[in-house]
C-alpha cells in the first residue's frame, strides 16, 4: 500500500535558498538571508531550535536566469524527493522571471513541496498566497527591467569620474580603489594604474605595427624579441589587433576629441578637459548577454553567453583617471591602418560583383586570386570573368589554371544553400559544439570558487592585522609572515582568476560567432535568394573564411573553408615540400585569420 505523506511522517528536508546578484558585503548578504529564513521556518513549520537545514546559495548570480548552480541542484533534489519545503527571504531571490516562477510553482506542487517567502509571510500551500506570489513575481521582473534601464542611464553619469567599470584589466594597467567621503556619504571607485614595464610593451606594439603595417609581422617580431602577452603566451594576430583597437591607450587631447566626434560617439565633457595627459575612457562599447535556446526551461536551462560589440554611435567617450600611453595622432593613424587592412581584404570587385573576391587563394603559391573581367561577354546574364593567380598571369613560378568565375560563384551559392538542412552532418556538429560550449561552466565554477577563497583570505588578513595590535614583538613576526604568505596567495589567485575571466570571455565570443554561423548556414538560401550582389557577398563572408580550388587534370575540387569548428588543418596546402609560398602571401593569409592554428572547418565539394 502506498504510504500517504503527512507532516508527521514526512522525512524530507526543509531547505533554505539564498541568492545575491553581486559578490559584495553590502545589503542583504547571504548570511543575513539564511538567518531570517531559519527563524521564519522554526516559527511556521514548528521545527526544533537545533534543526539542521540544507542551504543552497548562489552568489554573484542574476535571478532572471535559472542556470544558477545551487538553484539547479536544489530543483533536482526536489525531483529526487529529498525536499518538502523551500524557505526564501524574498521572492526575487528565487526568481525575477515570471514564466520561470509560474513553472516552478507548478513543479513544486507536483512534488508536494511548499515554497515559503519569509519577508512577505507567503506560503504556496495557501491559496491567498498564490495570488500574492504571482503579483510579486510580476513586480520582480519589472524591477529587473528597471534596473537594467537605470544602469544604462547611469553610464553617462559614471563617465564624469572616468572610473574603471570592471572586467579584464587591459595590458599596461592594474586597478586600485579610491575612497572618499565619511559616514553614510562614504563611497569608492576603481581606477586604472599604470604598470611601467607593460606600458613600454604597449608603446612598442604600436611602434612595430605602424612600421610593419601588418598584424602578423607585428606578432612575429614581438615573439622574436621575447615579448609575452599579459596571460604569458605568444603574441598572435588577434592579440595585436585587440591592443591596437583599444581606445584606453589613446591620450585624450583635441585630436582624439575630434576623431571620436567624427566617428559619431557620445562625448562627455568639454574639449578643454581633454588635457593631453590622461587616457580615453570608453563606456557602453560592448554588452554581455545571455540568450535562451529553443529547448530552454527552468528545469533544464540552456543559454548562450556572448559579447556584442556596439556601434560607435552608442559609445560614451570621457577623459579617464588613468594615464594615456599613445599619442593621439599615432593611435588615430593605427585605426586608419586597421581600416585599410580590413578594406583591402574585404573589398568586393565592382566591375563583376565576383562573390569570392578576396576569399579565394591559389593552392600552389598561396597568392590571393585576382578577378580578371572579360569585356562584353556574359554567362547566365552576368559579366563573365575568371579567378586567376597573379603569379601565373605574370608567367612566374606558378602553373595554376584560371577558373571560370560566374560558374564557380553559382556553384558556391548552390552548395551553401544545400547545407541549410539541420540534418546536414556539419550543421549537426556545429550545433553540438555550440551546445557543448554553452553547457560547459567549469571556468565559471572555478572562478566562483577562487572569488570565495580570495574573499576568505582577505578577511583572514584583516583579522591578523587586528591581532598585530595586541601581541608581543616575539609573536608579531610570525603573524606578519602569515599575512605576507596570504597576500602572496591572493596575488596568485587573482592572476589565475584573470586567466579564467579571459577564457570565459573568449568562450562567450566563440559561442556568439558559432550562433551567427549556425543561423546564416541554416537560413542561407532565404538570406541570398533574389538579393543584390552586395548582400550575397556580405552573407558569404559571414560564413566562409577561404576558398581553394585544386586541379587534377580536367577535374577540379572546391575546398570551402567555413568559419567555425576545427576539424581539418589548412596547412597541408602550404607545408608540402614541392610548394613554395612566399612570405608576403603567408602574411596576407595570417592577417586574414591565420593560415595556421585557425578555428575553421574544411568542407570539400567536387565539381
Amino acid at each position: 500500500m502506498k504510504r500517504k505523506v503527512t507532516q508527521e511522517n514526512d522525512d524530507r528536508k526543509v531547505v533554505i535558498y539564498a541568492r545575491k546578484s553581486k559578490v559584495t558585503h553590502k545589503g542583504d548578504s547571504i548570511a543575513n538571508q539564511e538567518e531570517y529564513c531559519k527563524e521564519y521556518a522554526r516559527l511556521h513549520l514548528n521545527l526544533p531550535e537545533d534543526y539542521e537545514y540544507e542551504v543552497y546559495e548562489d552568489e554573484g548570480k542574476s535571478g532572471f536566469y535559472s542556470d544558477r548552480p545551487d538553484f539547479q541542484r536544489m530543483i533536482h533534489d526536489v525531483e529526487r524527493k529529498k525536499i518538502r519545503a523551500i524557505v526564501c527571504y524574498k521572492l526575487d531571490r528565487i526568481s525575477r522571471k515570471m514564466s520561470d516562477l509560474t513553472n516552478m510553482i507548478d513543479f513544486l506542487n507536483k512534488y508536494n513541496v511548499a515554497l515559503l517567502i519569509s519577508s512577505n509571510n507567503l506560503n504556496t500551500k495557501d491559496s491567498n498566497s498564490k495570488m500574492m506570489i504571482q503579483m510579486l513575481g510580476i513586480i520582480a521582473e519589472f524591477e529587473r527591467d528597471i534596473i537594467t534601464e537605470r544602469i544604462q542611464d547611469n553610464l553617462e553619469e559614471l563617465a564624469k569620474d572616468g572610473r574603471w567599470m570592471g572586467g579584464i584589466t587591459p595590458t599596461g594597467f592594474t586597478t586600485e580603489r579610491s575612497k572618499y567621503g565619511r559616514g553614510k556619504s562614504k563611497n569608492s571607485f576603481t581606477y586604472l594604474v599604470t604598470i611601467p614595464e607593460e606600458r613600454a610593451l604597449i608603446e612598442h606594439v604600436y611602434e612595430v605595427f605602424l612600421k610593419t603595417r601588418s598584424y602578423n609581422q607585428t606578432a612575429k617580431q614581438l615573439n622574436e624579441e621575447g615579448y609575452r602577452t599579459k596571460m604569458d603566451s605568444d603574441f598572435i594576430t588577434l592579440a595585436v589587433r585587440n591592443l591596437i583597437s583599444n581606445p584606453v591607450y589613446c591620450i585624450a587631447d583635441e585630436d582624439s576629441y575630434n576623431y571620436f566626434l567624427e566617428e559619431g560617439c557620445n562625448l562627455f565633457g568639454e574639449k578643454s578637459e581633454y588635457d593631453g595627459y590622461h587616457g580615453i575612457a570608453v563606456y557602453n562599447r560592448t554588452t554581455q548577454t545571455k540568450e535562451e535556446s529553443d529547448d530552454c526551461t527552468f528545469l533544464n536551462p540552456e543559454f548562450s553567453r556572448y559579447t556584442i560589440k556596439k556601434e560607435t554611435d552608442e559609445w560614451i567617450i570621457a577623459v579617464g583617471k588613468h594615464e594615456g600611453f599613445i599619442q593621439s595622432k599615432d593611435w588615430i593613424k593605427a585605426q586608419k591602418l586597421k581600416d585599410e587592412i580590413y578594406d583591402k581584404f574585404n573589398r568586393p570587385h565592382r566591375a563583376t560583383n565576383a562573390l569570392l573576391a578576396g576569399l579565394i587563394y591559389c593552392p600552389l603559391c598561396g597568392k590571393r586570386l585576382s578577378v580578371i573581367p572579360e569585356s562584353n561577354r556574359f554567362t547566365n546574364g552576368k559579366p563573365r570573368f575568371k579567378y586567376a593567380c597573379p603569379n601565373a598571369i605574370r608567367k612566374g613560378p606558378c602553373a595554376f589554371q584560371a577558373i571560370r568565375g560566374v560558374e564557380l560563384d553559382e556553384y558556391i551559392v548552390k552548395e551553401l544553400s544545400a547545407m541549410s538542412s539541420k540534418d546536414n552532418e556539419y550543421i549537426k556538429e556545429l550545433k553540438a559544439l555550440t551546445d557543448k560550449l554553452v553547457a560547459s561552466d567549469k571556468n565559471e565554477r572555478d572562478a566562483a570558487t577562487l572569488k570565495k577563497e580570495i574573499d576568505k583570505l582577505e578577511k583572514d588578513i584583516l583579522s591578523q592585522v587586528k591581532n598585530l595590535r595586541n601581541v608581543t614583538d616575539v609573536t608579531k613576526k610570525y603573524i606578519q609572515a602569515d599575512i605576507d604568505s596570504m597576500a602572496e596567495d591572493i596575488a596568485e589567485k587573482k592572476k589565475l582568476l584573470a586567466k579564467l575571466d579571459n577564457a570565459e570571455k573568449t568562450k562567450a565570443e566563440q559561442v556568439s560567432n558559432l550562433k551567427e554561423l549556425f543561423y546564416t548556414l541554416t537560413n542561407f538560401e532565404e538570406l541570398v535568394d533574389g538579393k543584390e550582389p552586395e548582400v550575397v557577398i556580405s552573407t558569404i563572408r559571414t560564413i566562409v573564411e577561404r576558398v581553394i580550388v585544386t586541379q587534377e587534370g580536367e577535374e577540379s575540387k572546391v575546398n570551402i573553408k567555413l568559419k567555425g569548428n576545427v576539424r581539418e588543418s589548412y596547412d597541408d596546402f602550404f607545408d608540402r615540400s614541392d610548394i613554395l609560398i612566399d612570405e608576403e602571401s603567408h602574411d596576407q593569409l595570417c592577417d586574414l585569420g591565420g593560415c595556421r592554428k585557425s578555428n575553421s572547418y574544411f568542407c570539400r565539394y567536387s565539381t
Side-chain angles (χ1 to χ4, degrees), residues 164 167-175 192 195 198 202 230 243 246 248-249:
W164 174 248
I168 299 170
T169 310
T171 302
F173 297 101
T174 184
T175 57
L192 297 173
I195 301 174
E198 291 187 9
I202 297 299
K230 194 178 185 77
L243 292 177
N246 200 335
V248 75
Y249 304 118

Side-chain angles (χ1 to χ4, degrees), residues 312-564:
T312 53
D313 60 1
E314 296 185 70
W315 293 9
I316 297 174
I317 303 293
V319 180
K321 292 287 186 184
H322 64 280
E323 179 184 5
F325 292 174
I326 307 300
Q327 293 296 324
S328 60
K329 290 181 179 179
D330 289 336
W331 189 86
I332 294 168
K333 192 185 298 181
Q335 305 317 299
K336 291 180 177 178
L337 176 55
K338 182 186 72 172
D339 293 339
E340 285 176 18
I341 292 173
Y342 178 83
D343 291 339
K344 179 180 178 182
F345 293 126
N346 293 276
R347 188 184 302 121
H349 193 269
R350 293 181 178 85
T352 62
N353 288 321
L355 303 183
L356 304 180
L359 292 177
I360 185 166
Y361 287 82
C362 176
L364 301 180
C365 66
K367 283 285 188 183
R368 191 194 348 253
L369 299 189
S370 302
V371 178
I372 309 298
E374 299 182 34
S375 301
N376 299 319
R377 303 183 71 181
F378 296 85
T379 298
N380 300 334
K382 302 171 185 175
R384 189 179 296 180
F385 66 93
K386 291 182 178 179
Y387 291 112
C389 177
N391 278 342
I393 295 171
R394 302 188 194 105
K395 297 182 179 180
C398 187
F400 184 75
Q401 298 295 314
I403 310 165
R404 296 191 301 272
V406 174
E407 290 91 334
L408 179 61
D409 284 358
E410 290 178 349
Y411 177 76
I412 292 287
V413 171
K414 175 186 172 184
E415 291 297 333
L416 291 176
S417 297
M419 290 188 68
S420 62
S421 169
K422 291 185 179 180
D423 292 330
N424 179 281
E425 287 303 316
Y426 176 64
I427 298 291
K428 287 181 179 178
E429 265 190 41
L430 191 64
K431 180 68 164 63
L433 174 65
T434 307
D435 291 344
K436 183 178 178 182
L437 283 172
V438 169
S440 174
D441 62 350
K442 184 177 185 304
N443 287 338
E444 194 174 347
R445 284 186 279 109
D446 290 347
T449 301
L450 276 173
K451 286 175 183 176
K452 287 184 178 180
E453 290 175 355
I454 291 169
D455 188 46
K456 183 178 184 305
L457 284 168
E458 287 176 342
K459 288 179 181 177
D460 289 344
I461 286 177
L462 288 174
S463 177
Q464 288 289 54
V465 168
K466 290 178 181 178
N467 291 336
L468 279 174
R469 300 171 186 167
N470 303 309
V471 297
T472 63
D473 290 340
V474 176
T475 312
K476 186 177 293 185
K477 63 179 182 179
Y478 297 106
I479 295 178
Q480 185 62 57
D482 187 33
I483 292 172
D484 293 342
S485 175
M486 287 190 289
E488 290 174 4
D489 198 9
I490 288 173
E492 289 300 317
K493 289 183 186 298
K494 283 185 175 180
K495 285 182 182 179
L496 182 55
L497 183 60
K499 289 184 178 181
L500 289 174
D501 287 342
N502 189 57
E504 191 64 24
K505 181 181 178 183
T506 302
K507 189 189 84 170
E509 290 176 354
Q510 189 177 2
V511 168
S512 176
N513 293 336
L514 289 174
K515 285 179 70 68
E516 182 181 13
L517 176 61
F518 180 82
Y519 174 80
T520 307
L521 278 171
T522 53
N523 296 275
F524 183 83
E525 187 172 12
E526 181 184 347
L527 291 171
V528 303
D529 186 34
K531 300 297 192 299
E532 293 296 320
E534 291 80 4
V535 176
V536 182
I537 290 169
S538 175
T539 306
I540 289 175
R541 290 181 186 281
T542 301
I543 58 178
V544 175
E545 184 172 315
R546 272 168 300 196
V547 175
I548 284 186
V549 179
T550 57
Q551 300 167 329
E552 296 178 10
E554 295 183 359
E555 291 186 351
S556 299
K557 182 175 286 186
V558 181
N559 304 270
I560 307 173
K561 191 175 188 191
L562 301 175
K563 298 176 181 178

Side-chain angles (χ1 to χ4, degrees), residues 69-106:
D70 261 24
F71 177 81
Q72 284 299 314
R73 187 166 65 88
M74 179 180 70
I75 289 298
H76 286 93
D77 280 349
V78 169
E79 277 189 306
R80 299 183 189 102
K81 300 182 179 180
K82 293 182 177 181
I83 297 173
R84 69 179 173 94
I86 299 171
V87 188
C88 191
Y89 175 53
K90 288 183 179 179
L91 189 65
D92 60 16
R93 298 301 87 195
I94 204 157
S95 182
R96 279 190 180 272
K97 188 174 182 181
M98 189 59 204
S99 59
D100 280 354
L101 185 62
T102 303
N103 291 333
M104 187 184 69
I105 291 173
D106 291 340

Side-chain angles (χ1 to χ4, degrees), residues 207-254:
E207 179 187 352
V208 175
F209 178 69
L210 292 174
K211 181 180 177 181
T212 62
R213 304 178 66 82
S214 165
Y215 296 125
N216 183 63
Q217 280 296 306
T218 302
K220 182 179 178 181
Q221 183 172 330
L222 291 169
N223 291 330
E224 288 175 350
E225 293 173 350
Y227 288 99
R228 307 285 289 174
T229 68
K230 194 178 185 77
M231 299 302 165
D232 194 31
S233 59
D234 289 338
F235 275 92
I236 58 174
T237 55
L238 180 61
V240 174
R241 190 182 302 135
N242 287 341
L243 292 177
I244 294 298
S245 304
N246 200 335
V248 75
Y249 304 118
C250 179
I251 291 176
D253 59 12
E254 185 175 347

Side-chain angles (χ1 to χ4, degrees), residues 169-316:
T169 310
T171 302
F173 297 101
T174 184
T175 57
E176 288 187 8
R177 289 189 67 79
S178 176
K179 296 181 180 180
Y180 58 93
R182 292 184 177 181
K184 293 183 179 179
S185 301
K186 189 175 181 180
N187 209 335
S188 64
F189 66 87
T190 303
Y191 61 98
L192 297 173
V193 178
T194 301
I195 301 174
E197 58 271 22
E198 291 187 9
R199 170 181 176 154
L201 167 62
I202 297 299
E203 292 172 338
H204 188 55
V205 169
Y206 276 81
E207 179 187 352
V208 175
F209 178 69
L210 292 174
K211 181 180 177 181
T212 62
R213 304 178 66 82
S214 165
Y215 296 125
N216 183 63
Q217 280 296 306
T218 302
K220 182 179 178 181
Q221 183 172 330
L222 291 169
N223 291 330
E224 288 175 350
E225 293 173 350
Y227 288 99
R228 307 285 289 174
T229 68
K230 194 178 185 77
M231 299 302 165
D232 194 31
S233 59
D234 289 338
F235 275 92
I236 58 174
T237 55
L238 180 61
V240 174
R241 190 182 302 135
N242 287 341
L243 292 177
I244 294 298
S245 304
N246 200 335
V248 75
Y249 304 118
C250 179
I251 291 176
D253 59 12
E254 185 175 347
D255 289 331
S256 58
Y257 181 94
N258 292 332
Y259 172 81
F260 289 112
L261 189 64
E262 290 172 5
E263 289 293 310
C265 302
N266 304 291
L267 275 78
F268 180 85
E270 300 297 326
K271 187 185 292 188
S272 58
E273 296 177 33
Y274 290 68
D275 55 12
Y277 172 77
H278 290 95
I280 293 290
V282 184
Y283 303 89
N284 209 36
R285 188 179 172 206
T286 62
T287 184
Q288 293 185 353
T289 186
K290 292 170 71 171
E291 183 178 300
E292 288 185 356
S293 70
D294 295 338
D295 303 323
C296 181
T297 66
F298 91 95
L299 190 59
N300 295 294
E302 292 183 10
F303 293 95
S304 298
R305 298 173 177 84
Y306 54 95
T307 302
I308 299 174
K309 295 180 180 178
K310 296 192 175 182
E311 297 296 327
T312 53
D313 60 1
E314 296 185 70
W315 293 9
I316 297 174

Side-chain angles (χ1 to χ4, degrees), residues 40-55:
Y40 185 83
R42 278 195 291 267
L43 292 173
H44 290 79
L45 298 177
N46 298 318
L47 299 175
E49 287 286 335
D50 59 349
Y51 186 85
E52 293 185 9
Y53 300 89
E54 177 82 18
V55 177

Side-chain angles (χ1 to χ4, degrees), residues 22-81:
K22 288 189 176 181
V23 182
T24 65
H25 303 297
K26 297 180 180 179
D28 299 318
S29 71
I30 294 287
N32 288 342
Q33 292 179 45
E34 291 173 9
E35 288 304 314
Y36 289 131
C37 290
K38 287 177 182 178
E39 185 64 27
Y40 185 83
R42 278 195 291 267
L43 292 173
H44 290 79
L45 298 177
N46 298 318
L47 299 175
E49 287 286 335
D50 59 349
Y51 186 85
E52 293 185 9
Y53 300 89
E54 177 82 18
V55 177
Y56 301 86
E57 59 181 53
D58 287 307
E59 193 163 8
K61 301 292 180 183
S62 168
F64 189 75
Y65 302 104
S66 59
D67 59 341
R68 291 162 266 153
D70 261 24
F71 177 81
Q72 284 299 314
R73 187 166 65 88
M74 179 180 70
I75 289 298
H76 286 93
D77 280 349
V78 169
E79 277 189 306
R80 299 183 189 102
K81 300 182 179 180

